[in-house]
Amino acid sequence: MSAGVEWAVHCCVVLSQADEPVPAQRLAEYHGVSRTYLAKHLQQLSRAGLVRSTEGRAGGYVLTRAAEDITVLDVVLAVEGGEPAFRCTEIRQNGPFPASAEKCRKPCGIARAMYAAEDAWRAALAAVTVADLAAGVEQDNGTQTFVRLRGWLAGA
């Protein structure tokens, strides 16, 4: 996974706590990352319908639905796309003792293990919401974390 996934998930957590739209520049500044690179990922989130941008002086990004309704898998798929991580190339049909096409109609044990792992990975990410992550931030960093964040955002 690209660093963009981490950045996008962190931005969604921040947006879940913001009282007003947050400009891309402020999100980049808060996370200490490139605004240009972050804007690319915010656009991906927007195309996926997870955030929307607002225009004008008070413009910026907002979540399009409640943080409880956005999963980590939603964010990963927005940034990375829906292609599976494992792509079987049927290597067993190569080499000096290739398997016949008939034997390759069913996935081999390696492909089955990789497909099962991907299913488990996707299920685990689908079970965690942006709201869950925000609650974890407060557990890890204290209840004043988001109070301080909102104050910092308001001081823009």
Side-chain angles (χ1 to χ4, degrees):
M1 264 188 281
S2 70
V5 169
E6 178 185 8
W7 294 17
V9 173
H10 276 280
C11 285
C12 286
V13 171
V14 167
L15 293 175
S16 78
Q17 301 300 310
D19 295 325
E20 296 180 8
V22 181
Q25 178 60 40
R26 283 303 265 180
L27 287 167
E29 187 179 345
Y30 183 76
H31 291 108
V33 298
S34 160
R35 189 197 67 78
T36 305
Y37 186 63
L38 182 63
K40 172 183 152 187
H41 298 298
L42 290 168
Q43 289 171 355
Q44 291 169 318
L45 292 174
S46 181
R47 278 193 295 275
L50 301 178
V51 303
R52 69 178 163 78
S53 62
T54 61
E55 301 289 327
R57 181 166 158 70
Y61 287 89
V62 296
L63 294 179
T64 58
R65 52 190 198 253
E68 297 82 15
D69 297 329
I70 300 173
T71 69
V72 176
L73 182 61
D74 293 331
V75 178
V76 170
L77 294 177
V79 175
E80 295 290 318
E83 291 295 313
F86 176 77
R87 291 173 191 84
C88 179
T89 63
E90 282 301 348
I91 192 173
R92 59 190 171 156
Q93 291 182 341
N94 299 338
F97 306 106
S100 68
E102 182 179 298
K103 294 244 186 226
C104 295
R105 286 195 183 127
K106 294 188 326 186
C108 69
I110 293 166
R112 288 191 308 269
M114 296 302 237
Y115 297 149
E118 177 133 356
D119 289 345
W121 175 77
R122 286 177 184 253
L125 294 179
V128 179
T129 68
V130 169
D132 296 330
L133 295 177
V137 167
E138 286 197 326
Q139 273 185 324
D140 294 343
N141 300 310
T143 58
Q144 292 300 304
T145 301
F146 291 132
V147 171
R148 291 184 6 244
L149 167 67
R150 285 187 284 278
W152 184 83
L153 290 172

